[in-house]
Amino acid sequence: MAEIRSIGVVGGGQMGSGIAQLAAVNGFEVWLHDADSTALSNAHESISSRIQSIVSKGHLTKEKGAEALKNLRCTSNLEDFRSVDIVIEAIVESEEVKKKLFVRLDNIVKGSAILASNTSSISITRLASATSRPGQQVWSGQLAIAPFVLLELASVERIKLSGILVVIGMHFMNPPPVMKLVEIIRGASTSDDTFNATKFLAERLGKKIICSQDFSGFIVNRILMPMINEAFHALYTGVATKEDIDAGMKFGTNHPMGPLELADHIGLDVCLSIMKVLYAGLGDSKYAPCPLLVQYVDAGRLGRKKGIGVYQYSKM
C-alpha cells in the first residue's frame, strides 16, 4: 500500500500553478511541469508571491510558508514524474493535446499512480481510452485520491493507495482554493470504488459535490457556456451594450458578475473551446459559437489574462 506523498501537476497556467501552490502549502511534495521555461518561471514567481501574501495576512505562519516553497519543485521534463503518486493535468482544453499527454504519462508514471483530469467539458471516457488501464479499481477498503481533492487549506493526512492507474474527472471551479463546488465525472469504465473514493475524499475536504454523467460540458458548463454565448449574440446583434448586458444579469438575476465579464475572467479562448466541444458532442445548432466570440479569440482578445477581451483592463 503506497502513501500519497508526491504530486505531479502538468501545466503552469492559472489552474496548474494554483494546484501546485495549494498542494505544497498542505505539505505535499510537488512537481510542477510546463514545457515552456518562461511559463514555468512565471508560475514559480506567482506561487511564491501568493504564498508570501497568505503569510503577510496571517493565514499561514512564516515557517509553513517556507516549508511550502521547499515542497515545490519545477521541471520541464516529464520523466521527473516517475516517482509521483498522483499526476493532475491542467493543460489546454483540447482533447487531442490531453490524449497525447496521457499516452506519455501512461508510459512514465508508476503502476500505483493515479492519472486525473481537470477538464471542464471533454469526455472522460475518450481521455481514458488513451491509457492502458482506464477503469480498474484502486480502492480496497482504503481511501484513494483523485485530482484537485488535495486542494484547499485542509490538513494533510497520509492516504493509502492500493492500486493502479485510473482516469476520473474532478472539475474544480476557478479559483480552486476559493470555490467550494466540485464536479465529479466518471467515464464509462470508471469503477464504483474509484468514484466513491473520490467523492468521499472531496466531502471530507468540505466540498459541495455534484456528480455528472460523461456528456459534453457535464453540468456547469452545459448550462453556463450557452448563457455566455447568448450574451455574445446579444452584443453581436446590437441588442444592448456590453455594460447593460452585464448589468441586466447582475442586478436582474443577482449574479455576482455579468456573463461577458465572467467570460473575460474565464478566458475567451476557453469559452470558445468549450462551445466547440458542446457543438460537436451534442450536435445541436444552439451550441454553435457566436461569430463575435470567434472573432475576439482570433484577434487575441482572450480576456483579463491578455489585458483585453470584451473589456479592456489595465496592465499589471
Side-chain angles (χ1 to χ4, degrees):
M1 301 288 288
E3 290 186 354
I4 295 175
R5 298 178 181 275
S6 180
I7 302 170
V9 179
V10 185
Q14 185 176 4
M15 292 300 290
S17 63
I19 298 165
Q21 172 194 326
L22 291 167
V25 167
N26 277 288
F28 292 95
E29 298 173 1
V30 180
W31 280 100
L32 176 61
H33 172 276
D34 201 295
D36 185 333
S37 59
T38 301
L40 197 62
S41 177
N42 289 340
H44 188 273
E45 182 179 344
S46 178
I47 291 169
S48 298
S49 176
R50 290 196 297 262
I51 289 177
Q52 290 171 8
S53 177
I54 294 171
V55 171
S56 68
K57 293 177 181 178
H59 300 310
L60 194 69
T61 66
K62 290 183 179 180
E63 293 75 17
K64 288 293 185 180
E67 181 182 346
L69 291 174
K70 289 181 181 179
N71 289 337
L72 177 65
R73 289 176 287 182
C74 296
T75 181
S76 57
N77 186 1
L78 280 178
E79 295 292 330
D80 287 327
F81 281 22
R82 286 194 175 277
S83 62
V84 301
D85 301 311
I86 305 167
V87 179
I88 304 170
E89 70 83 6
I91 61 173
V92 63
E93 190 73 352
S94 163
E95 181 174 337
E96 179 181 2
V97 176
K98 288 181 186 292
K99 278 185 172 180
K100 287 180 179 178
L101 173 64
F102 278 22
V103 168
R104 292 183 63 191
L105 290 172
D106 199 15
N107 292 321
I108 292 173
V109 299
K110 61 187 180 181
S112 61
I114 290 178
L115 186 61
S117 177
N118 180 52
T119 179
S120 58
S121 63
I122 299 170
S123 168
I124 299 301
T125 301
R126 292 201 302 270
L127 293 180
S129 70
T131 70
S132 59
R133 293 164 292 183
Q136 298 182 33
Q137 294 186 355
V138 299
W139 191 38
S140 55
Q142 299 289 336
L143 189 61
I145 195 92
F148 286 7
V149 293
L150 298 178
L151 305 186
E152 302 292 352
L153 300 180
S155 61
V156 170
E157 296 181 14
R158 296 306 182 189
I159 300 170
K160 298 291 186 179
L161 272 202
S162 66
I164 48 186
L165 187 144
V166 168
V167 178
I168 190 168
M170 196 169 189
H171 177 213
F172 272 58
M173 307 300 113
N174 185 25
V178 176
M179 303 298 284
K180 295 298 183 182
L181 183 68
V182 171
E183 192 173 35
I184 300 177
I185 308 96
R186 60 191 305 168
S189 299
T190 303
S191 70
D192 289 341
D193 287 341
T194 301
F195 173 80
N196 290 334
T198 301
K199 183 173 183 291
F200 177 63
L201 182 55
E203 288 171 344
R204 288 191 63 185
L205 290 175
K207 299 295 185 180
K208 172 64 178 177
I209 308 300
I210 59 174
C211 304
S212 173
Q213 296 299 313
D214 192 18
F215 291 99
S216 299
F218 315 135
I219 300 171
V220 173
N221 282 329
R222 175 80 175 263
I223 298 169
L224 174 63
M225 287 302 157
M227 182 190 72
I228 288 175
N229 196 52
E230 192 61 29
F232 270 95
H233 274 294
L235 182 62
Y236 180 55
T237 57
V239 171
T241 65
K242 57 182 179 289
E243 292 84 2
D244 281 352
I245 292 168
D246 278 347
M249 298 306 293
K250 284 165 57 177
F251 300 110
T253 62
N254 206 29
H255 288 196
M257 65 177 69
L260 298 174
E261 182 184 0
L262 178 58
D264 274 354
H265 178 75
I266 295 169
L268 301 193
D269 53 334
V270 176
C271 295
L272 179 58
S273 293
I274 295 172
M275 287 307 302
K276 287 180 176 178
V277 169
L278 289 172
Y279 188 36
L282 300 174
D284 192 319
S285 60
K286 71 180 181 181
Y287 298 113
C290 175
L292 184 60
L293 174 59
V294 176
Q295 184 183 71
Y296 277 12
V297 173
D298 287 345
R301 298 176 60 163
L302 306 184
R304 296 186 66 92
K305 61 188 174 184
K306 289 295 186 180
I308 185 170
V310 179
Y311 297 91
Q312 187 161 354
Y313 303 89
S314 300
K315 293 184 177 181
M316 299 300 292

